[in-house]
Amino acid sequence: MILRTKKLKVHFKGVKALDGVDIFLSRGLTTALAGESGCGKTTLARAILKIHEPTSGKIYLEDKDIALKENSVFLHRNVQIVFQNPFLSLDPRFTIFATLYEALTVCGKVKKKNAKDAIVKSLEEVELDSSCINRYPHQLSGGQLQRVCIARAIINRPALVILDEPTSSLDVTTASKIIKLLNRLKQELKVTFLFISHDLKLLNKISDFSFIMHKGKIVEYGPRNLVYSNPMHPYTKMLIDASNQKLAAMPKENCESPCSSILREIEPGHFIFCD
Amino acid sequence: MIIECGKVLSMKNNLFKEIFKNKLGFMALLILCSLYTSVAFAPFFAPYSYDDDDVLSSYAPPTKVHFKGIRPVIYAKDYDVNKYYQRIYRENESKVHPIKFFVKGEKYKLLGIECDRHFFGTEGEKIFLLGADLKGRDILSRVLYGGRISLSIGLIGAAISLILGLLVGGVSGYYGGRVDNAIMRLCEMMMMVPSFYLMLAMRAAFPPNLTSTQVYLLIVVILSFIGWASTARIIRGMAISLREREFVVAAKTLGVADIKIIIRHILPHTFSYCIVAVFLSIPGYILGEAALSLLGLGIQEPQASWGNLLSSAMGIVNIRLYPWILIPGLFILVTVMCFNILGETLRDVLDPKRKIV
């Protein structure tokens, strides 16, 4: 297990963005975190990266408490993120070289020549031509920018990469190319992904394990095939139906299903919180 | 005022074009460039040194330039003393002195090279294009030498307070919380005290008998100390919005040091504001120096600055009898106006949405 959270709570002035979340990520697997907008998925990602301070609870990265100051270098070295909107996540004043050089030199000084080689190599890994090295973000397309963001995330070979809806601001064909790229990288680099999305069809394709989140809490989790083929929690059912566009047929009370605190294993490895 | 890269790049190319298009802005830029050039080469352009006094020319009025053919000449001046013991100067047309260019004169050092040529001058009779002061010193020469102090104080003062404001505002906005609270309260305290009194109080805190260089440095420090707070507040506001941007968060997750994030990712995005702010704040520094020197607390005689040149024009009698001693004020007026116009032009160019048609 590479990362686990323990009763993680993040509250913002009365809003319970995360309300006691326990998740665990297994090494080398792609874990999906699904839920509607505003359910706390991004907050969880940001809490893992220490951008938001937890109100209470713990996060362990390879059994090291990341709240401790001495572990912060270890955290930055091993956990990286790819954001939703590639147009916003690259500094518009930095060339692609400068962006990747900054990422590369965080862990120590690198000679410019060696750095250039490393940067060209990482661009090739994300299937980008090295000719874009001196371009600015506004000179590249959305798909190319997202590849640069992925290159920035993997350039220091982190153990875990958080993908925060990396395809939702891209068109369908570009998105599928990015998904293919991520699948390839996962196999080549043996990197663990935490894939955050509200697109359950996509998660069904790419993930190995799934957590379903609702109102700051995990409501159901288990291996991907069990969760998506046999959803047990009403909220999960609603999400899956919604992704299959059966929303009109859904009984309304199911959408507002309260989260219960009793965890039940309904089949081997497949858990839901219910009464 | 935060602008994206595409705009920044196209603006870099268009900045001069746009200023060139705006006639008023271009004029202001031209006047400022010629002012700065002439004060930078003051010893060459000024016919005399700033402390070259001549008792026989006390309060001599501006010398009239006549033309013999195409050759500019001046007449020698004689004077009578009237019943109030004032000198009344008149031209003696029998003695003609031609104005010569690149004439030999007092020796001076410019950029480490010793020279004795002046742009223009006369032989045998002194020329006072803008008149002379009580001690018979040429006002034009003193304006040019004084401009070295007044104009450079504006630039250096504005630069120092901008750097201070950028760093303090950047740190305050980026960290937020208690740091922000403490720094902002300090800024408010600085801004609460009327700046002129604060300036006087700070000057009073230092001994009065300092050398010219010490006074110069002191004035720069005092003026920039007063100016940083308002810049810091605006930069802080921008930093708060910038720190939430994803590229800043991305740099944070990479583990880039906070100070590097502030300097590399946050402050550069405030530069379009800063350029305008600097140009609009320079007049304040020039006027601040002028005010201190006018009150005798700034640059001391015989050193010249535009402020202390005006101090001789404080009495109403002097202004009525010798109105040319107000000419340094005209230079201050023109410079301040040019900086304001240029600042406004830059603001329009960098932020077209705010342009008032």
Tab-separated table of all heavy atoms in Angstrom, chain B residues 213-244:
chain	number	residue	atom	x	y	z
B	213	THR	N	26.412	63.862	-0.319
B	213	THR	CA	26.132	62.474	-0.696
B	213	THR	C	25.255	61.811	0.356
B	213	THR	O	24.300	61.101	0.015
B	213	THR	CB	27.445	61.678	-0.824
B	213	THR	OG1	28.460	62.551	-1.258
B	213	THR	CG2	27.306	60.501	-1.736
B	214	GLN	N	25.600	62.072	1.630
B	214	GLN	CA	24.801	61.472	2.697
B	214	GLN	C	23.359	61.965	2.623
B	214	GLN	O	22.425	61.183	2.765
B	214	GLN	CB	25.401	61.822	4.067
B	214	GLN	CG	26.652	61.030	4.390
B	214	GLN	CD	27.340	61.538	5.636
B	214	GLN	OE1	27.327	62.730	5.919
B	214	GLN	NE2	27.960	60.638	6.376
B	215	VAL	N	23.204	63.266	2.380
B	215	VAL	CA	21.855	63.833	2.310
B	215	VAL	C	21.094	63.206	1.135
B	215	VAL	O	19.930	62.832	1.254
B	215	VAL	CB	21.910	65.369	2.155
B	215	VAL	CG1	20.529	65.931	1.858
B	215	VAL	CG2	22.458	65.999	3.405
B	216	TYR	N	21.794	63.061	0.022
B	216	TYR	CA	21.187	62.469	-1.177
B	216	TYR	C	20.649	61.072	-0.867
B	216	TYR	O	19.494	60.751	-1.135
B	216	TYR	CB	22.238	62.409	-2.289
B	216	TYR	CG	21.765	61.782	-3.569
B	216	TYR	CD1	21.037	62.514	-4.490
B	216	TYR	CD2	22.056	60.451	-3.858
B	216	TYR	CE1	20.608	61.943	-5.665
B	216	TYR	CE2	21.624	59.868	-5.026
B	216	TYR	CZ	20.904	60.617	-5.931
B	216	TYR	OH	20.478	60.055	-7.094
B	217	LEU	N	21.532	60.260	-0.256
B	217	LEU	CA	21.125	58.890	0.068
B	217	LEU	C	19.973	58.893	1.065
B	217	LEU	O	19.026	58.118	0.942
B	217	LEU	CB	22.313	58.113	0.639
B	217	LEU	CG	23.428	57.833	-0.363
B	217	LEU	CD1	24.604	57.168	0.316
B	217	LEU	CD2	22.912	56.954	-1.497
B	218	LEU	N	20.084	59.809	2.036
B	218	LEU	CA	19.052	59.895	3.066
B	218	LEU	C	17.688	60.211	2.449
B	218	LEU	O	16.677	59.594	2.792
B	218	LEU	CB	19.448	60.982	4.071
B	218	LEU	CG	18.546	61.104	5.288
B	218	LEU	CD1	18.637	59.843	6.124
B	218	LEU	CD2	18.936	62.311	6.127
B	219	ILE	N	17.690	61.160	1.510
B	219	ILE	CA	16.419	61.547	0.880
B	219	ILE	C	15.830	60.364	0.107
B	219	ILE	O	14.636	60.081	0.189
B	219	ILE	CB	16.625	62.760	-0.065
B	219	ILE	CG1	16.949	63.981	0.775
B	219	ILE	CG2	15.381	63.028	-0.889
B	219	ILE	CD1	17.241	65.210	-0.039
B	220	VAL	N	16.700	59.662	-0.609
B	220	VAL	CA	16.227	58.493	-1.359
B	220	VAL	C	15.574	57.492	-0.413
B	220	VAL	O	14.469	56.987	-0.656
B	220	VAL	CB	17.401	57.827	-2.118
B	220	VAL	CG1	16.966	56.495	-2.682
B	220	VAL	CG2	17.893	58.727	-3.226
B	221	VAL	N	16.267	57.233	0.717
B	221	VAL	CA	15.751	56.251	1.670
B	221	VAL	C	14.420	56.727	2.249
B	221	VAL	O	13.444	55.967	2.293
B	221	VAL	CB	16.787	56.004	2.798
B	221	VAL	CG1	16.177	55.206	3.933
B	221	VAL	CG2	17.994	55.287	2.234
B	222	ILE	N	14.377	57.998	2.650
B	222	ILE	CA	13.148	58.531	3.261
B	222	ILE	C	11.981	58.425	2.281
B	222	ILE	O	10.906	57.919	2.619
B	222	ILE	CB	13.336	60.009	3.680
B	222	ILE	CG1	14.289	60.109	4.864
B	222	ILE	CG2	11.993	60.641	4.040
B	222	ILE	CD1	14.612	61.529	5.280
B	223	LEU	N	12.215	58.865	1.046
B	223	LEU	CA	11.116	58.877	0.076
B	223	LEU	C	10.648	57.474	-0.261
B	223	LEU	O	9.447	57.209	-0.371
B	223	LEU	CB	11.542	59.613	-1.197
B	223	LEU	CG	11.749	61.124	-1.042
B	223	LEU	CD1	12.268	61.720	-2.330
B	223	LEU	CD2	10.455	61.805	-0.633
B	224	SER	N	11.609	56.541	-0.412
B	224	SER	CA	11.151	55.190	-0.770
B	224	SER	C	10.515	54.496	0.428
B	224	SER	O	9.657	53.645	0.267
B	224	SER	CB	12.278	54.349	-1.363
B	224	SER	OG	13.469	54.616	-0.746
B	225	PHE	N	10.938	54.891	1.636
B	225	PHE	CA	10.331	54.307	2.837
B	225	PHE	C	8.853	54.687	2.933
B	225	PHE	O	8.024	53.917	3.393
B	225	PHE	CB	11.090	54.794	4.072
B	225	PHE	CG	10.662	54.131	5.337
B	225	PHE	CD1	11.047	52.831	5.609
B	225	PHE	CD2	9.851	54.792	6.243
B	225	PHE	CE1	10.632	52.214	6.770
B	225	PHE	CE2	9.435	54.183	7.401
B	225	PHE	CZ	9.829	52.881	7.674
B	226	ILE	N	8.549	55.904	2.469
B	226	ILE	CA	7.158	56.356	2.531
B	226	ILE	C	6.326	55.709	1.419
B	226	ILE	O	5.163	55.394	1.602
B	226	ILE	CB	7.106	57.901	2.425
B	226	ILE	CG1	7.705	58.503	3.684
B	226	ILE	CG2	5.686	58.398	2.216
B	226	ILE	CD1	7.987	59.968	3.602
B	227	GLY	N	6.971	55.471	0.258
B	227	GLY	CA	6.199	55.067	-0.917
B	227	GLY	C	5.827	53.596	-1.014
B	227	GLY	O	4.935	53.247	-1.771
B	228	TRP	N	6.504	52.705	-0.249
B	228	TRP	CA	6.325	51.276	-0.535
B	228	TRP	C	4.976	50.730	-0.112
B	228	TRP	O	4.471	49.766	-0.698
B	228	TRP	CB	7.443	50.434	0.083
B	228	TRP	CG	7.463	50.446	1.579
B	228	TRP	CD1	8.138	51.319	2.375
B	228	TRP	CD2	6.776	49.563	2.466
B	228	TRP	NE1	7.904	51.048	3.678
B	228	TRP	CE2	7.075	49.973	3.769
B	228	TRP	CE3	5.930	48.475	2.271
B	228	TRP	CZ2	6.563	49.328	4.886
B	228	TRP	CZ3	5.413	47.830	3.392
B	228	TRP	CH2	5.735	48.258	4.676
B	229	ALA	N	4.359	51.374	0.906
B	229	ALA	CA	3.178	50.751	1.518
B	229	ALA	C	2.016	50.607	0.533
B	229	ALA	O	1.394	49.544	0.472
B	229	ALA	CB	2.744	51.552	2.734
B	230	SER	N	1.765	51.658	-0.251
B	230	SER	CA	0.607	51.565	-1.144
B	230	SER	C	0.855	50.539	-2.249
B	230	SER	O	-0.051	49.804	-2.637
B	230	SER	CB	0.274	52.932	-1.742
B	230	SER	OG	1.426	53.471	-2.334
B	231	THR	N	2.118	50.482	-2.746
B	231	THR	CA	2.443	49.458	-3.758
B	231	THR	C	2.239	48.070	-3.158
B	231	THR	O	1.647	47.195	-3.787
B	231	THR	CB	3.912	49.588	-4.198
B	231	THR	OG1	4.207	50.950	-4.375
B	231	THR	CG2	4.185	48.825	-5.468
B	232	ALA	N	2.728	47.894	-1.930
B	232	ALA	CA	2.638	46.575	-1.287
B	232	ALA	C	1.185	46.117	-1.189
B	232	ALA	O	0.884	44.943	-1.415
B	232	ALA	CB	3.275	46.623	0.095
B	233	ARG	N	0.299	47.042	-0.881
B	233	ARG	CA	-1.114	46.656	-0.723
B	233	ARG	C	-1.703	46.136	-2.030
B	233	ARG	O	-2.434	45.155	-2.058
B	233	ARG	CB	-1.940	47.851	-0.244
B	233	ARG	CG	-1.974	47.982	1.249
B	233	ARG	CD	-2.902	49.078	1.648
B	233	ARG	NE	-4.283	48.653	1.582
B	233	ARG	CZ	-4.932	48.079	2.583
B	233	ARG	NH1	-4.304	47.864	3.717
B	233	ARG	NH2	-6.176	47.719	2.451
B	234	ILE	N	-1.365	46.821	-3.130
B	234	ILE	CA	-1.921	46.404	-4.419
B	234	ILE	C	-1.304	45.079	-4.854
B	234	ILE	O	-2.006	44.168	-5.303
B	234	ILE	CB	-1.722	47.509	-5.471
B	234	ILE	CG1	-2.553	48.717	-5.055
B	234	ILE	CG2	-2.129	47.033	-6.857
B	234	ILE	CD1	-2.275	49.960	-5.801
B	235	ILE	N	0.020	44.960	-4.689
B	235	ILE	CA	0.686	43.718	-5.073
B	235	ILE	C	0.141	42.553	-4.245
B	235	ILE	O	-0.066	41.451	-4.749
B	235	ILE	CB	2.221	43.840	-4.872
B	235	ILE	CG1	2.779	44.954	-5.736
B	235	ILE	CG2	2.925	42.514	-5.159
B	235	ILE	CD1	2.677	44.734	-7.216
B	236	ARG	N	-0.138	42.821	-2.984
B	236	ARG	CA	-0.671	41.778	-2.110
B	236	ARG	C	-2.012	41.265	-2.651
B	236	ARG	O	-2.258	40.058	-2.705
B	236	ARG	CB	-0.833	42.349	-0.697
B	236	ARG	CG	-1.533	41.463	0.276
B	236	ARG	CD	-2.779	42.153	0.736
B	236	ARG	NE	-3.497	41.374	1.719
B	236	ARG	CZ	-4.775	41.581	1.975
B	236	ARG	NH1	-5.435	42.531	1.330
B	236	ARG	NH2	-5.399	40.850	2.864
B	237	GLY	N	-2.866	42.193	-3.088
B	237	GLY	CA	-4.158	41.794	-3.648
B	237	GLY	C	-3.977	40.911	-4.871
B	237	GLY	O	-4.659	39.895	-5.034
B	238	MET	N	-3.017	41.298	-5.724
B	238	MET	CA	-2.769	40.502	-6.930
B	238	MET	C	-2.205	39.137	-6.553
B	238	MET	O	-2.551	38.122	-7.153
B	238	MET	CB	-1.781	41.227	-7.831
B	238	MET	CG	-2.340	42.486	-8.426
B	238	MET	SD	-1.039	43.313	-9.325
B	238	MET	CE	-1.940	43.904	-10.698
B	239	ALA	N	-1.308	39.126	-5.556
B	239	ALA	CA	-0.675	37.864	-5.149
B	239	ALA	C	-1.720	36.897	-4.603
B	239	ALA	O	-1.656	35.695	-4.850
B	239	ALA	CB	0.409	38.124	-4.111
B	240	ILE	N	-2.720	37.428	-3.881
B	240	ILE	CA	-3.766	36.551	-3.328
B	240	ILE	C	-4.502	35.846	-4.461
B	240	ILE	O	-4.768	34.645	-4.393
B	240	ILE	CB	-4.756	37.367	-2.457
B	240	ILE	CG1	-4.078	37.733	-1.147
B	240	ILE	CG2	-6.033	36.589	-2.206
B	240	ILE	CD1	-4.921	38.572	-0.232
B	241	SER	N	-4.815	36.594	-5.538
B	241	SER	CA	-5.537	35.940	-6.634
B	241	SER	C	-4.613	35.001	-7.407
B	241	SER	O	-5.023	33.960	-7.882
B	241	SER	CB	-6.200	36.975	-7.540
B	241	SER	OG	-5.352	37.329	-8.591
B	242	LEU	N	-3.323	35.376	-7.506
B	242	LEU	CA	-2.391	34.544	-8.288
B	242	LEU	C	-2.032	33.230	-7.578
B	242	LEU	O	-1.808	32.220	-8.223
B	242	LEU	CB	-1.109	35.325	-8.570
B	242	LEU	CG	-1.206	36.354	-9.698
B	242	LEU	CD1	-0.051	37.326	-9.614
B	242	LEU	CD2	-1.199	35.657	-11.046
B	243	ARG	N	-1.986	33.271	-6.241
B	243	ARG	CA	-1.529	32.065	-5.539
B	243	ARG	C	-2.512	30.911	-5.680
B	243	ARG	O	-2.168	29.759	-5.470
B	243	ARG	CB	-1.266	32.371	-4.061
B	243	ARG	CG	-2.518	32.555	-3.268
B	243	ARG	CD	-2.288	32.557	-1.781
B	243	ARG	NE	-3.575	32.670	-1.153
B	243	ARG	CZ	-3.799	33.177	0.030
B	243	ARG	NH1	-2.798	33.614	0.760
B	243	ARG	NH2	-5.003	33.238	0.522
B	244	GLU	N	-3.768	31.227	-6.028
B	244	GLU	CA	-4.760	30.168	-6.223
B	244	GLU	C	-4.723	29.612	-7.643
B	244	GLU	O	-5.410	28.648	-7.941
B	244	GLU	CB	-6.176	30.693	-5.937
B	244	GLU	CG	-6.374	31.263	-4.547
B	244	GLU	CD	-6.139	30.243	-3.453
B	244	GLU	OE1	-6.299	29.036	-3.724
B	244	GLU	OE2	-5.768	30.645	-2.339
